[in-house]
Amino acid sequence: MDQPPALSRDLIGRESEEVLFEVERGAIRKFAEAVQDQTPECLRGEVAPPTFPTMFRMTIPGLTFDLARVLHGAQEYRYERPLRAGDRVRCRLRVADIYQRQGRLGEMTFLILALEGRDESGSAVFTGSTTAILR
Amino acid sequence: MIGPVLAVRSDQELEGGSVLPDLRKAPITKLQLVKYAGASGDYNLIHTDDETAHSVGLEGVIAHGMLSMAFLGEYLCWLAGPESIRRLSVRFVEMVRPGDTLTCRGRVKEQTAGNAGRQLLLEVWAENQRAERVTVGEAEVQIA
């Protein structure tokens, strides 16, 4: 099988477009039900579960890889406040870092993606950091 | 479920090293993985299609790491309430498969008093039925 070339460090700093996501009550409930999250505010669709920002998916121009070969190594979220139904969040995803390291499975590429969510007035609501491992 | 659990605890009960109560989740099923794929928008087929999982050398589908992180998110909501969570950071260290039963556990690393109440730095993790830690991390919560 052809191995795709390792991601170039030239991609560091590259960003997605800003995308506006609306936090819908039904989406909160569906997410909470899938997780079997018993938090009453989440089951009622009022407050989004903490990991709800994982739904905010964006593409970064030039950044492509084979999904089946990606491991999710680590994830962080920081919150100013929880997301609530009716929130409209402006999100942006950026390549924060790319580096190679020897791991259990041989040479692996680490891709660090930084996610930022702001309210309509521009105030930060949350940030996320994803560590993806490409083998 | 009655929460937030920690709000009624005294400072002494939340000192560094204090063990937090467990949250045991129902066994993970393939149906749950399909539901989570739909709810989260993560359609990577290694979580829902055995054939795809085999093609990358797995024995069968594995759970989304983010599902175990979502369990820890629920754990924090239960412990401290959804308005109280300031940070959740995790590493995915072991694979989770359908049939596995995860339990969220934690302990207090540090308690600090601030203007807005008590800040707690927590060590949290999800472990499987063999007591192996599958997802490990740290969280910060603010409680009244």
Side-chain angles (χ1 to χ4, degrees), chain A residues 9-45:
Chain A
R9 285 180 53 86
D10 294 346
L11 291 167
I12 295 169
R14 206 170 281 195
E15 283 189 329
S16 69
E17 296 285 313
E18 184 178 277
V19 181
L20 180 72
F21 291 95
E22 198 161 339
V23 180
E24 294 169 358
R25 184 173 294 261
I28 294 175
R29 294 181 57 163
K30 192 172 157 190
F31 191 94
E33 282 163 19
V35 172
Q36 298 183 323
D37 187 328
Q38 300 299 308
T39 309
E41 298 91 326
C42 301
L43 284 176
R44 289 196 298 263

Side-chain angles (χ1 to χ4, degrees), chain B residues 12-93:
Chain B
Q12 289 70 33
E13 291 172 298
L14 293 175
E15 281 174 351
S18 300
V19 175
L20 301 171
D22 297 347
L23 177 68
R24 187 181 163 89
K25 296 293 291 178
I28 289 170
T29 62
K30 286 188 178 179
L31 178 60
Q32 182 171 35
L33 300 185
V34 172
K35 285 184 179 178
Y36 183 78
S40 69
D42 183 343
Y43 302 124
N44 189 336
L45 286 170
I46 66 167
H47 305 302
T48 49
D49 178 49
D50 281 322
E51 202 177 310
T52 303
H54 293 150
S55 75
V56 294
L58 296 167
E59 285 168 34
V61 296
I62 57 167
H64 307 74
M66 288 304 291
L67 179 61
S68 60
M69 187 180 189
F71 290 175
L72 290 172
E74 177 190 8
Y75 185 47
L76 296 179
C77 288
W78 179 57
L79 291 172
E83 302 282 340
S84 311
I85 304 166
R86 295 289 165 267
R87 178 170 71 91
L88 175 58
S89 312
V90 304
R91 283 187 305 117
F92 305 105
V93 291

